[in-house]
Amino acid sequence: MVDYTPGDLTLTVRAGTPLSEIERITGEHGQWLPLDPYGDPDGTIGATIATASSGPLATAFGTPRDLLLGIEFVTGRGEVIRAGGKVVKNVAGFDLSRLLTGSWGTLGVITEATVRLYGRPRADRTLAVRLPRNQADPSDFLARLDAAPIAPFALEVVSASIARALGLGDQPACLIRLGGNSAAVDFQLITLSRLARTDEVESRVWDSLRALEADADFVIRLSGLPASV
């Protein structure tokens, strides 16, 4: 850790710092970095930024480029370059930080990063909605969910095989993570209960979901605009 100012919700760390270590450090001050890329929780912040990896929490908090405030990297000529800053409001110069995000090390080797943090929510609850086995297309339920006054931290539709691996039964399921103050979460829980039958599950299900592909031989990601999914 290079610099941590809890009052400013900013953290500067070396690129090799594991995400699990960042979670431990910020958790002591009731804060967190909502980056949960798929894979091992001990993956580093540098690798996460270099590959622009994100997970379910990107639904509400964005991808690494949205949480990155500043960066230090070394070019192929051995030059040490600093970009961005250590404050949330920063508009100076070219946005090299976002340029480096997702560049896979082709523009430089990341050595340090400054990220913005969030306060941990007072309430953080996860619900599972079991989808019918014969409903291959859950678009009807998702359309009703999209129209409802709900702003989830994360929302993932998983197949029957993944649901079994997560201990959610033999049906496809929709995992929904709600967070915020207690009143807001309670209101969303009531709204969800009117749309479908819900079961509350342990929040560690998200860690299990992220770790599913850790031993995979290969992973394929298809990206597109939400409106076209």
Side-chain angles (χ1 to χ4, degrees), residues 1-23:
M1 184 173 64
V2 177
D3 181 59
Y4 181 20
T5 310
D8 291 340
L9 290 170
T10 60
L11 173 70
T12 302
V13 291
R14 299 296 186 193
T17 307
L19 294 175
S20 57
E21 179 68 7
I22 293 177
E23 182 178 12

Side-chain angles (χ1 to χ4, degrees), residues 137-151:
D137 181 4
S139 57
D140 178 60
F141 166 72
L142 293 178
R144 289 185 287 115
L145 186 63
D146 183 54
I150 296 173

